[in-house]
Amino acid sequence: MEGVRAVDLERTASGNGYVIATEPGAIFGYGEGQAVDALSVTRALRLAPGEWVMSLSLTASGRGVWLFTNRGQVGTSGDAGFFGDLKKTVLNGPVLDSIPTQSGRGFSMVASDGGIFAFGDAGFVGSIPGVLAAGQKLNRAITGMVHYGTGYLMVGEDGGIFSFSDRPFLGSLGSPPPLRPIVAVAQLG
């Protein structure tokens, strides 16, 4: 993969493999991740100038994958269903991360401004633009999201955590800011 930028890595449900996505949309599977049909999802994407792959999500079976671009286009393979995308939507910021639903019948995307876009059976429980006062902006861009209770958590480059969930808010970095920007968040357990 020399000269190609890897943008996301997802482990299989059993933890016995993983899949890596690159900006142009190439997928590399290792261990159980080799079951992903990388060629068909790459062919499904028609990247426009200035568009690249930002995120991937695996289906629960590990035999399907969704690829998400910075403009919200979605490519699918295997048992990953197509539930819609944002390619005809004007976004306030690029899509930076995605998470599938537990059922595998939907997914959510998050944009750098904290906008959430839910498809299929993914629940929408709020977004940052929906709670900011007029003229108010984030200190730094959102870079990732994970499931949290019945909703999700988002993380910003500055370590700010934004919770849209039935679970309690447990805090965030905020001040002092980290030495380097936070680039992702991981789901534990």
Side-chain angles (χ1 to χ4, degrees), residues 72-95:
Q73 185 181 171
V74 178
T76 66
S77 80
D79 62 356
F82 181 78
F83 305 106
D85 66 16
L86 300 168
K87 68 180 168 184
K88 294 183 179 179
T89 303
V90 176
L91 299 171
N92 292 329
V95 168

Side-chain angles (χ1 to χ4, degrees), residues 158-181:
D158 61 354
I161 299 289
F162 303 88
S163 177
F164 292 86
S165 175
D166 60 338
R167 290 192 181 165
F169 176 72
L170 300 175
S172 62
L173 288 179
S175 182
L179 296 176
R180 300 247 190 262

Side-chain angles (χ1 to χ4, degrees), residues 3 9 22 36 49 61 84 104 118 127 130 132 135 139 160 168 182 187:
L9 178 145
T22 66
V36 171
S61 71
S127 66
L132 291 178
N139 292 333
I182 303 296
Q187 184 79 39

Side-chain angles (χ1 to χ4, degrees), residues 47-60:
L47 300 177
E51 183 176 21
W52 57 86
V53 170
M54 282 299 301
S55 176
L56 76 96
S57 291
L58 294 174
T59 61

Side-chain angles (χ1 to χ4, degrees), residues 2-178:
E2 188 174 324
V4 176
R5 183 173 171 245
V7 294
D8 201 1
L9 178 145
E10 295 291 329
R11 70 177 178 89
T12 59
S14 70
N16 293 322
Y18 54 90
V19 177
I20 298 173
T22 66
E23 274 186 349
I27 300 173
F28 300 92
Y30 300 90
E32 286 179 346
Q34 292 176 354
V36 171
D37 179 6
L39 191 55
S40 69
V41 69
T42 303
R43 287 182 180 160
L45 288 174
R46 301 285 182 249
L47 300 177
E51 183 176 21
W52 57 86
V53 170
M54 282 299 301
S55 176
L56 76 96
S57 291
L58 294 174
T59 61
S61 71
R63 293 186 306 273
V65 66
W66 293 278
L67 282 182
F68 302 88
T69 72
N70 61 319
R71 294 187 179 167
Q73 185 181 171
V74 178
T76 66
S77 80
D79 62 356
F82 181 78
F83 305 106
D85 66 16
L86 300 168
K87 68 180 168 184
K88 294 183 179 179
T89 303
V90 176
L91 299 171
N92 292 329
V95 168
L96 296 177
D97 203 4
S98 61
I99 54 174
T101 61
Q102 298 291 342
S103 70
R105 293 187 301 271
F107 52 78
S108 296
M109 292 183 258
V110 63
S112 63
D113 69 343
I116 297 289
F117 305 93
F119 295 88
D121 68 353
F124 176 80
V125 294
S127 66
I128 293 173
V131 297
L132 291 178
Q136 207 175 15
K137 292 185 178 186
L138 288 171
N139 292 333
R140 299 292 296 268
I142 295 298
T143 59
M145 70 186 292
V146 293
H147 290 288
Y148 188 59
T150 59
Y152 33 83
L153 287 176
M154 293 179 255
V155 65
E157 289 179 335
D158 61 354
I161 299 289
F162 303 88
S163 177
F164 292 86
S165 175
D166 60 338
R167 290 192 181 165
F169 176 72
L170 300 175
S172 62
L173 288 179
S175 182

